[in-house]
Structure formats: C-alpha cells, structure tokens
Amino acid sequence: MRSLAALSLALLLQAAHAAETPKDCPPTAQAPTAEQMQQARAAAKDRGALWRLSKDGRSSYLYGTVHVGRMAWAFPGPQLQKALKSTEVVAVEIDLSSPTLGQEMQAAQQRAAALVLTPAEQQRLDAQADAACLPRGALAGFHPVMQAITYVSLAGRRDGLDPAFAQEGMLLGTAKALQRSVVSLESVASQMALLLPQDAQQARWLLRNNLDALESAESRGSLLRLSSAWERGDLAALSDPAKLCACTPSAEELDFYRRLNDERNPHLAQRIAEEHGKGRPVLAAVGLLHMTGAQALPKLLAGQGFKVERLH
C-alpha cells in the first residue's frame, strides 16, 4: 500500500482504457468536472490528522496521509488549507513528480532479487490482473513483488477507494499551484530496498504474502478499515496491526511491518527537523500509520525539541 505503487497508475489507466471493460469491473477514476470541483471545494472538510510543530520561533506542520482515496478527499479542509498557506515547503516521503523518478525506480528494481515465477505464481498474478480488469501482462515490466503491491493498491476500487485520489497527489498539485518547494524525506532506493529485497527468499515471501491477502480479500478489508480510520483521524484504530487486517499476523509479518513502519520513523523525524531548521516553515506529509506506536513521529519530534500540538 506504499505510495510508490502509484507510479504505475498512468500505465494502469492507459491499459484499462485500451481493453474492453466488462460490466463487473470497478469504476476507473475520472478527473472531476468543473462543477464537481466547485462542489467539492465548497464541502471540503478536514480529514486525517494534523499537528503543529513549533520550534525556533516558527511553526511547521505534520500531516498524516493515506495512499488511496475518494474524489472528495482530494480537496483540503480548512485546517489543512491554513497549514499549506502558512508554510513554504511541502515535504513528502517521495516526490512522485520528480523527473528522475522513473530512472530511480528502474534501478531499484534491477537491484532486487530476480524471481523466476513458477507457473502457479504467474497464474495467481494473472488472476489479479483479471480482477483489476487489466490486460494480462500490462505490468510485465515491473518486478513481480511490485506487481502484487500495485494490485493491492487497486483492491479498494470496488469500494470507491482509488490510488488516483491519494493525498500525495493532492498535496503535490497544491504545492505547485501555490509555488511551494517540494522535497523528499526519503530516497526511492531506501523505500524500494524494503519493498523489493535483494534476498530471493524474502522477496518470494513478500510476493506470496501479498497474493494471499488479495485472494482472501484481506487487502480489500484492510484498505477499508485503514481509510475509514484515516478519515476520522482515529489513531487508536490504527495502532494494532491485528485489528487493521482482522487477522492474527505471523511473527514474520509483524517483523516486516516493524521494518516498513517503525524503523523508518527516526530517519523521517530527523529529515523533518532538518528541513524546519533551514529557516522555512514546512508541511511534512507522511502516511498516518507512522504516527502510531512507540516510535510515532509526533513523539520523536517532541524528543527533538518541538512543541507538538494536535489540531483537531
């Protein structure tokens, strides 16, 4: 469910339009009309979670995002609008608008463990292409694990949750409209090293784990629970991985979750502090799950001398 899965969105939409669309396919995200945009702006309300970070006589902001969304969520509410207007830099996990992003993605995939798929694994991926109403082979240029992650990101479309309306896209578009600087808090290489391991055994486990979650509808249910908790800004509902997946995670799954979420937080906190320390107020946008647990970003930033206030 990571933001890098959105990189394949343009390819996916192009492939979907090129193929015949059966009646049981989920709707494809469409750009809002002028009337829809006007209505959405007028009705926009705050969602997610927002903190004010005060230090050295100026205030930055920390915003918890979600990597799928609905059209209405693509329009910032009053508190988030105020934060955007009062800051000069938008800091995201990865700047998806970077002109070098494609090259960095390709290089990262080449460093990952090469997986020769068994016929059964290929059939499982083909079945997910069918479920997503994409031509088989549309993602053949992606590493098999990245293919599965992309299908996970699309699993919520039947429930109205689409990566096309992820918060990162909205924030990047708003940053450009307001002529704000955009910086990445992490590198493509560091994120992809977690998602696409160089160890073949670990990579194959990730592939099969994602396919298992897709086939059991666990991915779809998790996206619904995650996005619902995000909309309410309900951190308590996000603090337990078992509640998110409505399952009993294995020790291996919990270890991967810890590496993907908790262990990245000290670096993210340091990077946010560095950008704030450059003298320009920052709006830092990071997945809301990073605001939970013992290594929650608000706690780490408070430890770096920030006065941290949740804006409800």
Side-chain angles (χ1 to χ4, degrees), residues 122-160:
Q122 186 60 62
Q123 287 175 5
R124 295 177 76 185
L125 281 172
D126 288 343
Q128 292 307 316
D130 295 343
C133 294
L134 295 174
R136 294 183 178 186
L139 300 183
F142 288 77
H143 189 282
V145 175
M146 199 64 193
Q147 293 180 44
I149 291 172
T150 303
Y151 291 133
V152 168
S153 75
L154 294 172
R157 288 191 303 162
R158 296 183 186 277
D159 301 302

Side-chain angles (χ1 to χ4, degrees), residues 2 49 51 61-67 91-94 167-168 171 185-186 191 230 261 264-265 268-269 272 283-291 297 301:
R2 308 312 308 158
W51 290 262
Y61 294 86
L62 175 66
Y63 179 56
T65 64
V66 66
H67 302 314
V92 291
E93 293 176 37
I94 297 291
Q167 293 294 294
E168 291 79 11
L171 289 168
L185 297 172
E186 298 180 296
Q191 273 205 7
W230 171 85
N261 199 71
R264 290 166 55 205
N265 287 353
L268 288 167
I272 293 168
L283 173 65
V286 180
L288 189 58
L289 286 173
H290 291 278
M291 316 303 170
L297 278 177
L301 288 165

